[in-house]
Amino acid sequence: MALDELTEELARSAAAGDHRALGELLRRIEPDVMRHCARILPYHQDAEEASQDTLLAVARNIGRFEGRARFSTWLHIVTANCARTTYRSLKRRAAEQSSDELPMQKPDVRRVSVIAGSRLDLLDAMEALEADKPDLAQALVLRDIVQLDYNEVADQLGIPLGTAKSRIHQARKYVQGVLGEDYR
Protein backbone atom coordinates (compact mmCIF):
# COMPACT_ATOMS: atom_id res chain seq x y z
CA MET A 1 0.00 0.00 0.00
CA ALA A 2 2.44 2.63 -1.18
CA LEU A 3 0.75 5.99 -0.75
CA ASP A 4 1.76 9.22 -2.43
CA GLU A 5 3.12 12.27 -0.61
CA LEU A 6 -0.24 14.09 -0.71
CA THR A 7 -1.83 11.22 1.21
CA GLU A 8 1.03 11.25 3.70
CA GLU A 9 0.53 15.02 4.18
CA LEU A 10 -3.24 14.56 4.60
CA ALA A 11 -2.52 11.99 7.30
CA ARG A 12 -0.23 14.39 9.18
CA SER A 13 -2.88 17.14 8.94
CA ALA A 14 -5.65 14.79 10.04
CA ALA A 15 -3.53 13.64 12.99
CA ALA A 16 -3.16 17.30 13.97
CA GLY A 17 -6.98 17.63 14.08
CA ASP A 18 -7.91 18.82 10.55
CA HIS A 19 -11.35 17.23 9.93
CA ARG A 20 -11.40 18.11 6.23
CA ALA A 21 -8.04 16.42 5.76
CA LEU A 22 -9.41 13.35 7.54
CA GLY A 23 -12.40 13.15 5.20
CA GLU A 24 -10.18 13.45 2.13
CA LEU A 25 -7.72 10.94 3.58
CA LEU A 26 -10.44 8.34 4.15
CA ARG A 27 -11.74 8.85 0.61
CA ARG A 28 -8.25 8.42 -0.87
CA ILE A 29 -7.25 5.31 1.10
CA GLU A 30 -10.54 3.40 0.80
CA PRO A 31 -9.69 1.50 -2.44
CA ASP A 32 -6.24 0.51 -1.15
CA VAL A 33 -7.66 -0.62 2.18
CA MET A 34 -10.27 -2.75 0.39
CA ARG A 35 -7.63 -4.37 -1.83
CA HIS A 36 -5.44 -5.14 1.17
CA CYS A 37 -8.34 -6.66 3.13
CA ALA A 38 -9.28 -8.76 0.09
CA ARG A 39 -5.76 -10.19 0.01
CA ILE A 40 -6.12 -11.33 3.61
CA LEU A 41 -9.75 -12.47 3.72
CA PRO A 42 -11.04 -14.94 1.13
CA TYR A 43 -14.63 -13.70 0.82
CA HIS A 44 -15.54 -10.32 -0.67
CA GLN A 45 -18.21 -9.53 1.96
CA ASP A 46 -15.75 -10.23 4.76
CA ALA A 47 -13.16 -8.00 3.12
CA GLU A 48 -15.75 -5.22 2.81
CA GLU A 49 -16.58 -5.53 6.51
CA ALA A 50 -12.89 -5.42 7.44
CA SER A 51 -12.37 -2.45 5.13
CA GLN A 52 -15.14 -0.49 6.84
CA ASP A 53 -13.75 -1.43 10.25
CA THR A 54 -10.32 -0.23 9.13
CA LEU A 55 -11.62 3.13 7.92
CA LEU A 56 -13.50 3.58 11.19
CA ALA A 57 -10.35 2.67 13.15
CA VAL A 58 -8.33 5.19 11.15
CA ALA A 59 -10.92 7.90 11.79
CA ARG A 60 -11.03 7.14 15.51
CA ASN A 61 -7.29 6.71 16.02
CA ILE A 62 -5.68 9.15 13.59
CA GLY A 63 -4.64 11.29 16.56
CA ARG A 64 -2.37 8.43 17.64
CA PHE A 65 -0.46 8.58 14.37
CA GLU A 66 2.76 10.26 15.47
CA GLY A 67 4.48 10.50 12.11
CA ARG A 68 7.58 8.58 13.27
CA ALA A 69 7.01 6.12 10.44
CA ARG A 70 5.18 6.70 7.19
CA PHE A 71 1.39 6.75 7.35
CA SER A 72 1.31 3.88 4.84
CA THR A 73 3.16 1.68 7.36
CA TRP A 74 0.76 2.64 10.15
CA LEU A 75 -2.20 2.00 7.82
CA HIS A 76 -0.86 -1.45 6.86
CA ILE A 77 -0.74 -2.44 10.50
CA VAL A 78 -4.24 -1.11 11.24
CA THR A 79 -5.62 -2.85 8.13
CA ALA A 80 -4.01 -6.21 8.92
CA ASN A 81 -5.22 -6.06 12.53
CA CYS A 82 -8.77 -5.15 11.49
CA ALA A 83 -8.88 -7.94 8.89
CA ARG A 84 -7.70 -10.48 11.46
CA THR A 85 -10.19 -9.16 14.02
CA THR A 86 -13.00 -9.42 11.46
CA TYR A 87 -12.00 -13.01 10.75
CA ARG A 88 -12.02 -13.90 14.46
CA SER A 89 -15.40 -12.23 14.90
CA LEU A 90 -16.92 -14.04 11.93
CA LYS A 91 -15.50 -17.34 13.14
CA ARG A 92 -16.92 -16.76 16.62
CA ARG A 93 -20.36 -15.87 15.19
CA ALA A 94 -20.33 -18.98 13.01
CA ALA A 95 -19.44 -21.13 16.02
CA GLU A 96 -22.27 -19.58 18.06
CA GLN A 97 -24.78 -20.16 15.26
CA SER A 98 -23.63 -23.69 14.58
CA SER A 99 -23.66 -24.67 18.26
CA ASP A 100 -27.44 -24.48 18.08
CA GLU A 101 -27.53 -26.58 14.92
CA LEU A 102 -24.60 -28.77 13.91
CA PRO A 103 -20.99 -29.00 15.02
CA MET A 104 -18.75 -26.51 13.22
CA GLN A 105 -17.17 -27.99 10.12
CA LYS A 106 -14.38 -26.95 7.81
CA PRO A 107 -15.61 -25.30 4.61
CA ASP A 108 -16.56 -27.75 1.87
CA VAL A 109 -13.54 -27.94 -0.43
CA ARG A 110 -15.82 -28.35 -3.44
CA ARG A 111 -17.32 -24.92 -2.73
CA VAL A 112 -14.23 -23.02 -1.61
CA SER A 113 -11.35 -22.25 -3.92
CA VAL A 114 -7.93 -23.61 -3.05
CA ILE A 115 -6.72 -20.05 -2.44
CA ALA A 116 -9.64 -19.21 -0.14
CA GLY A 117 -9.24 -22.47 1.77
CA SER A 118 -5.51 -21.84 2.15
CA ARG A 119 -6.16 -18.34 3.47
CA LEU A 120 -8.65 -19.68 6.01
CA ASP A 121 -6.10 -22.23 7.16
CA LEU A 122 -3.43 -19.54 7.40
CA LEU A 123 -5.75 -17.26 9.39
CA ASP A 124 -6.45 -20.15 11.78
CA ALA A 125 -2.71 -20.78 12.13
CA MET A 126 -2.09 -17.09 12.78
CA GLU A 127 -4.81 -17.11 15.43
CA ALA A 128 -3.13 -20.07 17.16
CA LEU A 129 0.24 -18.31 17.00
CA GLU A 130 -1.21 -15.12 18.44
CA ALA A 131 -2.80 -17.03 21.31
CA ASP A 132 0.41 -18.94 22.05
CA LYS A 133 3.16 -16.45 21.24
CA PRO A 134 1.88 -12.91 20.59
CA ASP A 135 5.40 -11.44 20.21
CA LEU A 136 6.09 -13.81 17.36
CA ALA A 137 2.71 -13.08 15.77
CA GLN A 138 3.38 -9.34 15.73
CA ALA A 139 6.67 -9.80 13.95
CA LEU A 140 5.19 -12.20 11.39
CA VAL A 141 2.25 -9.91 10.63
CA LEU A 142 4.57 -6.97 10.04
CA ARG A 143 6.90 -8.96 7.78
CA ASP A 144 4.66 -11.34 5.84
CA ILE A 145 1.29 -9.56 5.80
CA VAL A 146 2.21 -5.88 6.02
CA GLN A 147 5.36 -6.67 3.99
CA LEU A 148 7.75 -4.42 5.90
CA ASP A 149 11.43 -5.17 5.51
CA TYR A 150 13.32 -6.60 8.47
CA ASN A 151 14.72 -3.23 9.55
CA GLU A 152 11.23 -1.68 9.55
CA VAL A 153 9.89 -4.61 11.60
CA ALA A 154 12.66 -4.10 14.15
CA ASP A 155 11.94 -0.35 14.27
CA GLN A 156 8.19 -0.85 14.67
CA LEU A 157 8.66 -3.34 17.50
CA GLY A 158 11.54 -1.46 19.12
CA ILE A 159 13.80 -4.52 19.08
CA PRO A 160 17.23 -5.29 17.58
CA LEU A 161 17.31 -6.49 13.97
CA GLY A 162 18.58 -9.94 14.96
CA THR A 163 15.71 -10.38 17.40
CA ALA A 164 13.20 -9.39 14.70
CA LYS A 165 14.67 -11.93 12.28
CA SER A 166 14.64 -14.62 14.96
CA ARG A 167 11.01 -13.97 15.87
CA ILE A 168 9.94 -14.06 12.23
CA HIS A 169 11.80 -17.34 11.69
CA GLN A 170 10.28 -18.89 14.82
CA ALA A 171 6.81 -17.68 13.84
CA ARG A 172 7.11 -19.18 10.36
CA LYS A 173 8.19 -22.51 11.83
CA TYR A 174 5.26 -22.43 14.24
CA VAL A 175 2.76 -21.66 11.46
CA GLN A 176 4.23 -24.41 9.26
CA GLY A 177 3.81 -26.84 12.13
CA VAL A 178 0.16 -25.87 12.55
CA LEU A 179 -0.52 -26.07 8.81
CA GLY A 180 1.10 -29.47 8.48
CA GLU A 181 2.85 -31.26 5.64
CA ASP A 182 0.36 -30.23 2.93
CA TYR A 183 1.59 -26.62 3.04
CA ARG A 184 5.35 -27.12 2.82
Side-chain angles (χ1 to χ4, degrees):
M1 213 182 310
L3 303 175
D4 61 17
E5 282 307 313
L6 176 59
T7 306
E8 295 286 338
E9 181 56 38
L10 285 168
R12 287 189 288 276
S13 296
D18 183 339
H19 295 290
R20 286 186 191 171
L22 177 60
E24 179 64 16
L25 175 68
L26 294 173
R27 187 190 66 72
R28 289 178 67 95
I29 66 173
E30 184 176 14
D32 290 327
V33 168
M34 180 59 196
R35 272 191 300 278
H36 193 68
C37 288
R39 282 195 312 228
I40 297 171
L41 296 164
Y43 301 110
H44 183 74
Q45 297 87 347
D46 299 346
E48 284 179 339
E49 183 175 332
S51 177
Q52 292 303 310
D53 290 346
T54 300
L55 294 173
L56 185 59
V58 168
R60 285 184 178 158
N61 298 307
I62 192 67
R64 293 183 185 164
F65 173 63
E66 299 171 351
R68 287 183 291 141
R70 293 184 55 82
F71 173 71
S72 58
T73 301
W74 185 81
L75 181 60
H76 267 296
I77 295 166
V78 171
T79 303
N81 287 341
C82 284
R84 292 172 55 228
T85 298
T86 297
Y87 175 72
R88 283 193 297 270
S89 173
L90 292 168
K91 188 175 174 183
R92 187 174 43 255
R93 279 187 254 159
E96 289 168 359
Q97 289 172 352
S98 68
S99 67
D100 296 334
E101 301 159 10
L102 298 171
M104 191 167 162
Q105 301 171 357
K106 285 247 184 218
D108 183 350
V109 293
R110 294 168 298 192
R111 293 183 166 174
V112 177
S113 74
V114 172
I115 293 170
S118 297
R119 277 193 261 170
L120 291 173
D121 290 343
L122 182 58
L123 286 166
D124 286 339
M126 288 295 298
E127 189 173 344
L129 175 65
E130 189 169 40
D132 250 9
K133 302 177 182 206
D135 289 347
L136 299 183
Q138 273 186 316
L140 187 65
V141 166
L142 292 173
R143 177 68 186 122
D144 290 353
I145 295 176
V146 178
Q147 298 179 336
L148 298 182
D149 67 33
Y150 290 103
N151 288 319
E152 291 171 317
V153 171
D155 288 345
Q156 281 291 320
L157 296 177
I159 57 177
L161 177 61
T163 303
K165 287 180 177 182
S166 175
R167 286 183 185 179
I168 292 164
H169 176 74
Q170 290 174 35
R172 286 175 178 161
K173 283 182 68 169
Y174 182 97
V175 168
Q176 283 180 336
V178 171
L179 292 175
E181 291 295 320
D182 293 341
Y183 289 92
R184 291 179 193 213

